[in-house]
Amino acid sequence: MSWTVAPEPPDSPAAVALWRAYYTEVSDRWYLLHEGRRTDPAELERAIAAQSGDELRHPQGALLVARWAGEPGGTAGVRLLDGGAAELTRVYVRDALRGRGGGPVLVRAAEDAARALGAGRLILDTRHDLVEARALYARLGYAETAPHNDDPYAEHWFAKALT
């Protein structure tokens, strides 16, 4: 078996389910680390609903859904920024499918999507506790950089030239 990756609207059933799974995991990880509890369900619902993903629609972006054996297994998004850059976001592989190469497949597909949108550089931010993500980005040639945003949850910033 292998991964297949294709663009999908952010409001497709697969994309919505994967966004929910991604956000639940990263939110719970943050709260467990900092407050010893999982995310309050009402807060989780508000946060998920507040992120429509519209910035990941063509022509300003793309949301990619990866499938393993035909089942949705992960996502990656890119959105164009000013200055010829794009931002990599929502990189996620379902826990049951980790270790099968989905992360690199998704990031490379996102790089291709960013190039097709005209970006010459891909940037991203992540948190200190997301060690798997930071290792993936470093392995794929992303270099840690100075901060490029003021997101209160961002602790590490990366960039990679796409040309």
Side-chain angles (χ1 to χ4, degrees), residues 38-62:
R38 294 195 181 281
T39 311
D40 174 84
E43 178 186 353
L44 185 66
E45 291 306 316
R46 284 191 306 274
I48 289 170
Q51 301 274 337
S52 70
D54 283 341
E55 72 280 6
L56 304 177
R57 292 181 188 276
H58 191 76
Q60 71 265 21

Side-chain angles (χ1 to χ4, degrees), residues 96-130:
L97 296 173
R98 291 181 186 156
R100 298 180 186 188
V105 166
L106 275 162
V107 172
R108 288 186 182 112
E111 291 170 358
D112 290 342
R115 280 187 203 93
L117 292 168
R121 185 170 64 106
L122 205 50
I123 62 172
L124 65 98
D125 65 66
T126 191
R127 297 190 327 230
H128 186 72
D129 63 307
L130 300 177

Side-chain angles (χ1 to χ4, degrees), residues 56-116:
L56 304 177
R57 292 181 188 276
H58 191 76
Q60 71 265 21
L63 180 70
L64 305 169
V65 172
R67 286 181 163 72
W68 178 264
E71 293 298 317
T75 63
V78 294
R79 68 182 185 100
L80 286 176
L81 304 172
D82 293 335
E87 181 181 29
L88 178 64
T89 186
R90 293 193 188 192
V91 177
Y92 172 74
V93 174
R94 285 185 21 233
D95 188 49
L97 296 173
R98 291 181 186 156
R100 298 180 186 188
V105 166
L106 275 162
V107 172
R108 288 186 182 112
E111 291 170 358
D112 290 342
R115 280 187 203 93

Side-chain angles (χ1 to χ4, degrees), residues 87 124-125 146-151 154 157:
E87 181 181 29
L124 65 98
D125 65 66
H148 60 258
N149 64 27
D150 59 359
D151 183 322
W157 296 263

